[in-house]
């Protein structure tokens, strides 16, 4: 498959929805694997990396999942194309920065990607929509078992799968879930939730803007330990924790709707208005406003707004995707203009937030909420 | 606010909680890109910022397989090749305890290893039988056992 064909189609996880898709964007699992008899990529000469690639790439391409897939060595990719793969979550930023001896193989559905010569010889990654770590694990587990029958893995009875970094030893597995938590942020409950999750051996990450506001209200929760626990146990624990975070977010949404409907509608309405009519959008602003719009869509405040439309847009307006569609490099100013142009076009078919009639909204509002100070 | 890595103005503020400890990292644009922080897959992040106690390994130890030195290990916190785990085994347990739930793998085992372990187990069993056959002067049994052992041994990659 050619690069353009791969990118023309949305990935399976963008189109579909999974359990708790209104809060959980994606579930991802990756396995780190290495071969016996080769230095790790970070400490091997280019000649060795190329040798490993020549041995390993045909095996990876021969996996049944990779039939009609996309396979590319990085020396054949432009900077922008590599960056597009990063924005699609198919390769890591670290991997994209490398060149000779590095390659990626992706399945047709863009659910399974295998990076060759990342920090480890193999990074096998599976991605699913919604909360679906089990299914993402099943995907990578199968590919891993097939690869292992063809290639000599570095494995130790006591330490498990041997990885370049000791933090990945054992299962070599990192399971992670991307969450959209706008209501917990809007109602100032996000910090206790993050702290509670962090206390039980999971890592929570958010990209923070000024103060405590996370960019796009997106948070990632993943396992920190890889040695001393079974894969299934790790996944079950994360899913249990995520279920709790999801219900906190849903409760917060309900509470916002009951206690502060005007504030909520104001936020969603403003987000829609700016995105629909702006001519300059930085990625930070777009990310934060799209988050509010997604919240509005999930809460039926915007009629006929499909969540997947917004998730696709989120992807389309990233820098490399913008430059790919423009077929040239764009300056940051040009990107901001083009980002706004695409956003206006995509939102054109929407009618905008539903308007609650004045009599309705006053009866809903509690007196304590009116800010007459 | 200043970037934690260089001295430029920080634009990315990252909060990460591991084992209940909150770490805040402030980075400038360039450094955040270099560290892969803006990559929301973020898999490399824990490795990049998790401060680890240096393993207690004598400085002159060098991996015979790849030439990686203890000094390099201390500096970058990563191994040179799979054999390094044998080379730098002393002092590794303390490091592993600080970053993991346990120090022994309990998860998936590669099929090859499962089969190999079963072979090795069988081999041990056959060797015992052979010894007792020889002891009892049952030479026909011993010859049969010997050829079975040879067959199994040929199947093992390392001829263990
Ligand atoms: Zn910096
Ligand atoms: Zn070594």
């Amino acid at each position: 498959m050619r690069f353009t064909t791969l990118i023309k189609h949305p990935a399976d996880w963008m189109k579909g929805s999974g359990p708790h898709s209104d809060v959980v964007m994606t579930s991802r699992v990756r396995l780190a694997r290495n071969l016996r008899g080769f230095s790790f990529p970070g400490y091997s000469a280019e000649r060795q990396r190329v040798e490993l690639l020549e041995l390993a790439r045909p095996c990876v391409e021969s996996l049944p999942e990779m039939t009609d897939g996309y396979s590319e060595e990085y020396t054949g990719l432009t900077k922008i194309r590599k960056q597009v793969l990063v924005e699609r979550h198919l390769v890591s930023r670290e991997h994209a920065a490398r060149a000779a001896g590095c390659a990626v193989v992706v399945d047709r559905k863009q659910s399974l990607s295998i990076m060759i010569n990342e920090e480890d010889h193999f990074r096998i990654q599976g991605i699913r929509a919604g909360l679906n770590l089990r299914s993402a694990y099943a995907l990578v587990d199968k590919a891993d078992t097939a690869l292992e029958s063809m290639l000599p893995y570095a494995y130790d009875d006591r330490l498990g799968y041997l990885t370049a970094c000791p933090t990945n030893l054992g299962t070599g597995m990192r399971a992670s879930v991307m969450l959209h938590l706008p209501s917990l942020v809007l109602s100032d409950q996000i910090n206790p939730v993050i702290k509670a999750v962090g206390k039980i051996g999971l890592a929570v990450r958010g990209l923070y803007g000024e103060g405590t506001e996370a960019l796009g209200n997106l948070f990632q929760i993943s396992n920190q330990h890889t040695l001393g626990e079974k894969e299934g146990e790790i996944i079950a624990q994360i899913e249990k924790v995520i279920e709790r975070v999801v219900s906190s977010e849903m409760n917060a949404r309900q509470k916002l709707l009951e206690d502060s409907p005007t504030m909520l509608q104001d936020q969603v309405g403003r987000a829609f208005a700016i995105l629909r009519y702006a001519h300059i959008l930085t990625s930070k602003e777009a990310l934060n406003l799209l988050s509010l719009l997604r919240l509005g869509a999930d809460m039926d405040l915007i009629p006929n707004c499909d969540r997947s439309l917004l998730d696709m847009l989120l992807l389309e307006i990233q820098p490399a995707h913008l430059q790919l569609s423009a077929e040239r490099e764009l300056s940051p100013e040009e990107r901001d203009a083009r980002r706004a142009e695409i956003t206006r076009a995509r939102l054109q078919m929407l009618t905008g937030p539903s308007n609650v009639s004045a009599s309705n909204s006053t009866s809903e509002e509690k007196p304590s909420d009116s800010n007459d100070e | 606010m200043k970037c934690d890595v260089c001295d430029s103005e920080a634009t990315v503020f990252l909060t990460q909680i591991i084992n209940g400890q909150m770490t805040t990292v402030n980075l400038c644009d360039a450094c955040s890109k270099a560290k892969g922080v803006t990559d929301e897959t973020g898999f490399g992040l824990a490795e990049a910022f998790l401060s680890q106690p240096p393993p207690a390994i004598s400085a002159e130890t060098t991996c015979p397989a790849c030439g990686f030195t203890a000094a390099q290990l201390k500096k970058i916190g990563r191994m040179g090749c799979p054999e390094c785990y044998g080379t730098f085994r002393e002092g590794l347990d303390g490091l592993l305890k600080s970053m993991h739930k346990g120090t022994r793998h309990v998860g998936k085992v590669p099929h090859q290893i499962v089969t190999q372990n079963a072979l090795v187990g069988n081999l041990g069993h056959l060797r015992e039988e052979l010894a007792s056959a020889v002891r009892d002067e049952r030479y026909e049994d011993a010859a049969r056992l010997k050829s079975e052992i040879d067959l199994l041994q040929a199947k093992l990659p390392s001829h263990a």
Side-chain angles (χ1 to χ4, degrees):
Chain A
M1 189 193 278
R2 289 152 44 115
F3 179 86
T4 43
T5 321
L6 179 83
I7 293 308
K8 204 162 64 199
H9 300 287
D12 246 26
W13 61 266
M14 295 176 216
K15 295 183 290 185
S17 63
H20 301 305
S21 263
D22 42 4
V23 178
V24 183
M25 314 268 292
T26 57
S27 293
R28 241 176 310 189
V29 176
R30 74 105 166 100
L31 300 175
R33 296 293 188 255
N34 290 280
L35 297 187
R36 239 187 293 139
F38 288 88
S39 292
F40 295 126
Y43 184 65
S44 55
E46 187 182 313
R47 176 182 48 79
Q48 291 174 296
R49 289 200 301 272
V50 171
E51 190 189 327
L52 182 129
L53 180 68
E54 279 166 5
L55 169 75
R57 192 171 164 192
C59 298
V60 174
E61 287 172 352
S62 76
L63 296 174
E65 292 82 3
M66 295 306 187
T67 311
D68 297 324
Y70 168 72
S71 171
E72 186 88 62
E73 195 179 340
Y74 282 179
T75 42
L77 280 177
T78 61
K79 211 176 108 200
I80 288 178
R81 287 187 167 196
K82 281 199 227 175
Q83 202 52 43
V84 166
L85 295 177
V86 173
E87 291 174 359
R88 289 248 167 162
H89 311 307
L90 293 171
V91 309
S92 66
R93 198 170 294 273
E94 292 84 348
H95 195 225
R98 297 164 172 242
C102 297
V104 65
V105 183
V106 181
D107 77 325
R108 280 187 77 80
K109 297 171 176 170
Q110 299 174 48
S111 303
L112 179 69
S113 70
I114 300 182
M115 287 174 260
I116 305 174
N117 281 325
E118 212 253 15
E119 180 183 292
D120 295 294
H121 294 142
F122 298 106
R123 288 280 172 102
I124 308 170
Q125 187 195 254
I127 182 165
R128 294 287 194 212
L131 182 56
N132 219 338
L133 284 174
R134 278 155 225 260
S135 149
Y137 178 69
L139 197 65
V140 294
D141 182 39
K142 186 161 173 266
D144 175 50
T145 303
L147 262 189
E148 170 235 304
S149 70
M150 297 182 258
L151 296 162
Y153 271 7
Y155 178 87
D156 178 270
D157 277 336
R158 200 167 68 92
L159 299 175
Y161 293 93
L162 299 177
T163 51
C165 186
T167 51
N168 292 317
L169 275 180
T171 60
M173 183 186 80
R174 194 80 62 202
S176 86
V177 174
M178 179 63 64
L179 296 159
H180 182 228
L181 305 173
S183 297
L184 288 176
V185 173
L186 277 175
S187 57
D188 261 342
Q189 300 174 63
I190 191 70
N191 285 333
V193 171
I194 289 181
K195 276 194 186 132
V197 174
K199 278 202 180 106
I200 48 179
L202 299 178
V204 189
R205 288 157 205 151
L207 284 179
Y208 283 72
E210 305 297 325
T212 55
E213 191 191 358
L215 214 52
N217 301 313
L218 293 170
F219 297 84
Q220 180 182 268
I221 295 183
S222 59
N223 62 305
Q224 201 55 50
H225 311 297
T226 53
L227 185 63
E229 276 177 293
K230 290 193 169 76
E231 290 85 354
E233 291 167 0
I234 297 173
I235 285 172
Q237 192 212 11
I238 300 180
E239 290 205 330
K240 212 171 91 192
V241 170
I242 301 294
E243 294 276 359
R244 285 213 304 270
V245 177
V246 167
S247 64
S248 308
E249 167 67 19
M250 292 314 273
N251 287 340
R253 289 184 188 184
Q254 199 49 44
K255 205 158 163 20
L256 275 179
L257 202 59
E258 281 161 16
D259 296 353
S260 349
T262 307
M263 183 275 274
L264 186 64
Q265 285 183 320
D266 182 63
Q267 294 271 332
V268 173
R270 280 165 187 273
F272 179 83
I274 295 172
L275 290 170
R276 176 70 189 82
Y277 297 106
H279 280 252
I280 297 170
L281 276 177
T282 64
S283 68
K284 200 170 175 177
E285 186 180 21
L287 208 56
N288 284 332
L289 294 175
L290 275 172
S291 163
L292 290 167
L293 207 57
R294 196 182 197 267
L295 176 68
D298 286 340
M299 297 182 75
D300 290 325
L301 298 171
I302 303 166
N304 305 320
C305 182
D306 188 13
R307 190 187 304 132
S308 68
L309 172 95
L310 300 179
D311 290 350
M312 298 269 285
L313 183 56
L314 205 62
L315 209 70
E316 258 187 295
I317 58 169
Q318 296 182 85
H321 274 79
L322 289 175
Q323 298 182 73
L324 187 78
S325 75
E327 291 174 341
R328 67 182 177 92
E329 282 200 33
L330 302 172
S331 68
E333 291 75 22
E334 288 174 315
R335 291 206 292 266
D336 290 350
R338 196 169 167 89
R339 181 177 294 115
E341 187 188 327
I342 291 176
T343 306
R344 289 198 311 274
R346 295 288 176 276
L347 298 186
Q348 203 167 22
M349 66 268 275
L350 298 181
T351 46
S354 44
N355 285 309
V356 180
S357 69
S359 59
N360 256 348
S361 71
T362 41
S363 68
E364 263 178 40
E365 211 85 19
K366 285 182 192 157
S368 61
D369 252 41
S370 53
N371 290 325
D372 292 336
E373 56 232 63
Chain B
M1 208 175 291
K2 290 259 171 78
C3 169
D4 289 345
V5 180
C6 64
D7 263 350
S8 317
E9 189 65 18
T11 54
V12 176
F13 308 89
L14 172 94
T15 302
Q16 177 168 290
I17 300 185
I18 296 160
N19 294 335
Q21 276 201 313
M22 180 150 22
T23 337
T24 313
V25 182
N26 309 310
L27 296 170
C28 71
D29 243 18
C31 291
S32 77
K33 285 205 180 93
K35 296 266 181 196
V37 170
T38 48
D39 179 4
E40 51 115 349
T41 58
F43 286 135
L45 217 62
E47 289 105 275
F49 290 115
L50 199 62
S51 54
Q52 297 151 4
I57 299 164
S58 45
E60 58 273 18
T61 311
T62 300
C63 177
C66 73
F68 202 65
T69 64
Q72 283 172 301
L73 173 61
K74 277 181 189 167
K75 192 169 160 227
I76 66 172
R78 283 163 176 74
M79 298 290 184
C81 79
E83 301 297 322
C84 285
Y85 281 100
T87 310
F88 302 109
R89 183 148 270 182
E90 53 164 331
L92 198 65
D93 265 8
L95 180 75
L96 293 180
K97 265 188 204 128
S98 74
M99 54 174 74
H100 290 295
K101 267 240 157 79
T103 54
R104 180 169 269 284
H105 178 57
V106 293
K108 182 176 179 177
V109 178
H111 240 287
Q112 285 178 355
I113 305 289
V114 176
T115 343
Q116 194 174 317
N117 286 351
L119 279 179
V120 170
N122 260 341
L123 213 51
H125 183 68
L126 287 174
R127 280 192 183 124
E128 278 168 31
E129 275 190 47
L130 175 63
S132 86
V134 171
R135 216 171 25 243
D136 303 347
E137 299 181 9
R138 290 183 279 114
Y139 293 115
E140 263 176 56
D141 285 347
R144 180 181 50 82
L145 288 165
K146 181 79 178 62
S147 66
E148 271 185 56
I149 289 171
D150 287 347
L151 258 172
L152 275 188
Q153 231 161 8
K155 283 189 193 166
L156 280 175
S158 49
H159 293 271

